[in-house]
Amino acid sequence: MTANSPDLGEQALSKVAEIGISNQLDNVEDLNIDIRTNPGKFIQGEVDSVEISGKGMVMKQDLRMESLEVQTTKVSINPFSALLGNIELDQPANAEAQIVLTEEDLNRALASSYIANKLQGLKLQVDQQFYTIEFHRATIHLLDSGSMSLDIDFVLKESNFVLKESNEDKSLSATVIPKVNADGQKIDLEILSVQGQGLNPELGAAILKQITTLLDLSSFDLPGMTLWLQRFDIQAEKMIIHAKTKIEQIPNF
């Protein structure tokens, strides 16, 4: 065994954590957890580092990540609970995280019942006119320019104070750049262009703004872990999210 290879104790801890996290997912293609410590430090509840790497991870809401990498520095655990197969953190651990989402992952998320239900019946007001939006289809394309395009088909229900209502099929196309919201949990969109069938620019921009209120990074949190967004790196058909994460617990099996 080389100096960098995990010993039997480290392998056992890592396997416990892998099983615990796997049980919180609907599906995972590959998951590896590497916990590094030594017998002396372990007795004192000290872990040098925890590395989590996963591929094809499907969350409970049918949200999929192409890959996830999380790396911590020192972590404090309860050694006695760990011996019983329950890794308890004595205090939250800070870590760096990188998430890769493919274009297919994002469109799968938009089509999921979890997101689709949030998109139905959106209400907004533009120039004292009230609207309700029922979405039929939304598609994202990730561009190598660092931006992304959105194509949306929906029914626009327009009502006024005369109790008159009209339902019209509409479409909207936009090119946007995702930005980090101040709280690091949500995504803002910088609108580069927007055009729609029978829509004025103000209404198109209002629809996009309403959609961004639903883009919540916490949807991709693993149990016991909270993400704070730092920046995006958009490439053709791929989005890389760089984030900070706080690990409060490692799920038990």
Side-chain angles (χ1 to χ4, degrees), residues 101-103 106-107 110 139-152 172-179 187-194 208 211-212 215 232-241:
L101 303 175
T102 65
E103 189 172 279
L106 292 170
N107 287 314
L110 286 175
T139 305
I140 290 176
H141 299 286
L142 300 175
L143 311 175
D144 58 10
S145 60
S147 61
M148 65 184 191
S149 65
L150 290 166
D151 295 308
I152 306 169
L172 172 67
S173 296
T175 302
V176 301
I177 296 178
K179 299 289 186 178
I187 300 169
D188 288 334
L189 297 180
E190 177 186 342
I191 302 173
L192 301 181
S193 66
V194 57
L208 289 174
I211 291 174
T212 60
L215 300 178
F232 291 101
D233 179 13
I234 295 180
Q235 304 170 10
E237 301 183 357
K238 182 169 66 175
M239 173 187 288
I240 302 173
I241 300 173

Side-chain angles (χ1 to χ4, degrees), residues 97-127:
Q98 178 177 289
I99 299 171
V100 175
L101 303 175
T102 65
E103 189 172 279
E104 184 178 349
D105 292 335
L106 292 170
N107 287 314
R108 169 177 174 155
L110 286 175
S112 70
S113 57
Y114 175 72
I115 297 295
N117 288 338
K118 288 187 173 186
L119 288 173
Q120 296 309 313
L122 287 183
K123 299 184 183 300
L124 55 94
Q125 179 182 354
V126 179
D127 294 334

Side-chain angles (χ1 to χ4, degrees), residues 21-162:
I21 291 179
S22 293
N23 286 344
Q24 303 299 316
L25 302 170
D26 280 351
N27 190 39
V28 59
E29 295 172 14
D30 186 40
L31 178 64
N32 292 290
I33 298 179
D34 186 10
I35 296 178
R36 292 305 178 100
T37 185
N38 64 49
K41 290 183 177 180
F42 174 75
I43 293 300
Q44 299 177 51
E46 296 180 7
V47 171
D48 291 326
S49 65
V50 178
E51 294 184 13
I52 302 171
S53 61
K55 293 185 177 180
M57 304 174 71
V58 181
M59 317 295 285
K60 292 299 183 182
Q61 298 91 350
D62 199 32
L63 305 178
R64 181 185 183 276
M65 293 182 284
E66 174 68 12
S67 67
L68 168 70
E69 293 184 6
V70 178
Q71 184 168 3
T72 76
T73 51
K74 292 183 179 180
V75 177
S76 178
I77 67 171
N78 183 322
F80 304 105
S81 296
L83 289 172
L84 299 175
N86 181 11
I87 302 177
E88 294 182 356
L89 303 188
D90 284 343
Q91 58 187 17
N94 295 318
E96 300 283 340
Q98 178 177 289
I99 299 171
V100 175
L101 303 175
T102 65
E103 189 172 279
E104 184 178 349
D105 292 335
L106 292 170
N107 287 314
R108 169 177 174 155
L110 286 175
S112 70
S113 57
Y114 175 72
I115 297 295
N117 288 338
K118 288 187 173 186
L119 288 173
Q120 296 309 313
L122 287 183
K123 299 184 183 300
L124 55 94
Q125 179 182 354
V126 179
D127 294 334
Q128 300 188 3
Q129 181 65 58
F130 295 90
Y131 301 92
T132 302
I133 302 171
E134 300 291 343
F135 286 86
H136 286 328
R137 181 186 64 88
T139 305
I140 290 176
H141 299 286
L142 300 175
L143 311 175
D144 58 10
S145 60
S147 61
M148 65 184 191
S149 65
L150 290 166
D151 295 308
I152 306 169
D153 295 331
F154 58 96
V155 173
L156 183 67
K157 299 181 178 181
E158 179 179 346
S159 57
N160 55 39
F161 294 109
V162 191

Side-chain angles (χ1 to χ4, degrees), residues 191-209:
I191 302 173
L192 301 181
S193 66
V194 57
Q195 53 185 319
Q197 170 194 339
L199 299 176
N200 60 50
E202 292 76 17
L203 179 55
I207 292 172
L208 289 174
K209 182 178 180 180

